[in-house]
Amino acid sequence: MKPTLLLLLTLAGLALPCPAAPQNSDASNEAAPNLATPQERHLRNVRQLTFGGQNAEAYFSADGQKLIFQSTRDNLQCDQMFTMNVDGSNVHMVSNGKGKTTCGYFYPDGKTILYSSTYLADAQCPPRPDYSKGYTWAVYPGFDIFAANPDGSGVMQLTDTPGYDAEATLSPNGKHIVFTSMRNGDLDIYTMDSDGRHVKQLTHELGYDGGPVFSPDGKWIVYRAYHPSGEKEITEYKDLLAQNLIRPTSLEIWIMKANGRHKRQITHLGAASFAPAFSHSGKRIIFSSNLGSTGGMGNFELYAINVNGKGLEQITYSPGFDGFPMFSADGKKLVWASNRNGKAPHETNIFVADWVP
C-alpha cells in the first residue's frame, strides 16, 4: 500500500538477496511469546508470521482471518504474491511465478484478490534499478493491475494502458479501486470501478503521488507524495522519470476526499514517510518514516498522527526497518513488516500484534 518490496530495501540502502534465504515453516514456534520492545506500549503479543528472506506488504482480509503479502522466497528471483492465515499457517503462492508482483489486496467479500504484475510484459524478473544514480525506485512500465480468485486462478487484467499501473487498494464497499498510474506522463492517483471501468484521475500536481488507501468510511484517501519545487528538483525528477525511476527519499503524507478534492498535507517532516493507512476510527493515520535518521536512509519506524496533522507519536522502537502497517477492520490488530528478530542481516518478516489504544 504502498511501495514495492524493492523500495523497502532501497530506502534502507540494502541489496535484495537473490535467491532468498531458505524458509523455515512460516507457522513455526521459533518466535518469542512477545517480540515487542519495552517502549512499544501500543503493541501486545507481537508474533512473527514469516521466517527468513524478504517478506513485506501484508494486508488483512475484511474478516481479519487471512493476509496477502509479497515475498521473495525459496528459489524465486523476485517478488511473488502469497496468502496465509493470520497465524502464519497455510501459506500459498497465488501469483503465477512469472514477472514481478506487488501490492496485493483482498476484495471485501473475500472472493477475489487484487495485485499488480509485470508478467504480460515479460515472464522474467525486470532489471533492478541502477544504484549508481543513488537511491532510486523503478516504476516498471510493465506493471498492470489484475484480479483473481483467492487461489490465484481466474486471472483478469484490469488495466492495459502503456506505463506503470500499480499500488492498488479497494474501497471498503468494494466498488472502487484506487491506484497509481503513469498513463498521462506523470505519477498520479486514479480511481476506477472494481472491474476496471470508469477511470478517473484524482491528482494532477507535478511529482509522485502514490500508495493511496481509503478511509474506513470510504470518504477520504491517504497517500504519500513528493512534489518537486525549484528548477533543479523539477529537472531531476523529470530526468529520472524519463528513465522510469523516482528518488523516494523525500515523501510526505497527504489526504484528499475520495473525489480528489480538498487535498491537504498532513506531515511536514522532511523525511521519507510512506505506507500510510487509517486507524479504525479514521481519526489517526499510521505510517513509516526515517524521521531523525542520519547516514544513508537510516532507521525506519512506525508513527501515528491525527488527520489534522497534530499528535505525532512514535509507535515502534526497533533497529532497522519497520514499515507497511495496516490495521484489521475491527482495529484490534496491526500487521507490518520488520527486520526485528532476523536470523540473517536485513531479513524482513511479517509481524502481527494486538493493538492497545
Side-chain angles (χ1 to χ4, degrees), residues 62-343:
D63 62 7
Q65 298 303 303
K66 289 188 173 294
L67 294 163
I68 188 167
F69 67 105
Q70 62 192 53
S71 178
T72 303
R73 55 177 53 211
D74 303 325
N75 293 318
L76 294 172
Q77 299 298 303
C78 57
D79 292 331
Q80 292 297 321
M81 201 58 54
F82 291 78
T83 60
M84 64 180 168
N85 294 335
V86 74
D87 65 358
S89 64
N90 199 29
V91 178
H92 290 288
M93 187 169 80
V94 293
S95 54
N96 59 17
K98 300 176 182 179
K100 177 183 179 66
T101 69
T102 191
C103 309
Y105 218 73
F106 284 99
Y107 280 65
D109 62 7
K111 297 178 180 179
T112 309
I113 58 173
L114 184 75
Y115 63 91
S116 298
S117 176
T118 63
Y119 89 92
L120 287 182
D122 193 335
Q124 303 302 311
C125 293
R128 298 174 192 171
D130 181 1
Y131 293 118
S132 68
K133 301 179 185 298
Y135 295 110
T136 58
W137 172 30
V139 284
Y140 297 113
F143 265 125
D144 275 305
I145 299 170
F146 298 84
N149 296 323
D151 64 359
S153 64
V155 177
M156 180 174 66
Q157 185 176 2
L158 299 183
T159 63
D160 61 1
T161 56
Y164 180 81
D165 289 292
E167 305 175 36
T169 62
L170 281 138
S171 60
N173 63 13
K175 293 182 178 180
H176 297 98
I177 295 169
V178 64
F179 65 103
T180 297
S181 177
M182 202 170 145
R183 63 187 60 202
N184 285 335
D186 196 13
L187 288 162
D188 285 300
I189 293 173
Y190 296 74
T191 55
M192 61 183 175
D193 292 349
S194 60
D195 60 3
R197 297 185 298 173
H198 302 128
V199 177
K200 178 183 177 181
Q201 185 172 349
L202 300 186
T203 63
H204 299 82
E205 297 78 9
L206 176 67
Y208 170 51
D209 299 291
V213 181
F214 282 98
S215 60
D217 63 8
K219 295 180 179 180
W220 293 87
I221 294 169
V222 64
Y223 60 103
R224 61 177 181 262
Y226 167 64
H227 300 148
S229 61
E231 185 177 349
K232 182 179 178 181
E233 283 189 12
I234 291 172
T235 298
E236 181 189 44
Y237 173 78
K238 289 182 175 180
D239 287 348
L240 285 173
L241 196 60
Q243 304 168 64
N244 296 307
L245 298 170
I246 63 168
R247 194 181 309 284
T249 53
S250 180
L251 296 167
E252 300 289 355
I253 306 302
W254 288 64
I255 63 170
M256 62 181 166
K257 284 281 194 177
N259 61 9
R261 297 178 180 175
H262 304 298
K263 296 180 179 69
R264 186 168 79 247
Q265 185 174 342
I266 300 301
T267 65
H268 298 80
L269 303 178
S273 301
F274 72 104
F278 282 97
S279 66
H280 173 63
S281 69
K283 297 179 180 180
R284 298 271 280 171
I285 294 165
I286 192 167
F287 63 99
S288 181
S289 180
N290 64 349
L291 175 65
S293 292
T294 58
M297 289 302 292
N299 179 48
F300 281 83
E301 301 288 1
L302 300 184
Y303 293 83
I305 194 169
N306 297 334
V307 293
N308 63 4
K310 298 180 180 180
L312 181 68
E313 180 183 15
Q314 187 170 339
I315 302 300
T316 59
Y317 292 82
S318 178
F321 179 87
D322 288 271
F324 304 114
M326 181 191 185
F327 287 103
S328 57
D330 61 9
K332 294 182 178 180
K333 294 186 184 298
L334 180 75
V335 67
W336 79 103
S338 178
N339 291 154
R340 69 184 66 202
N341 203 43
K343 298 298 189 291

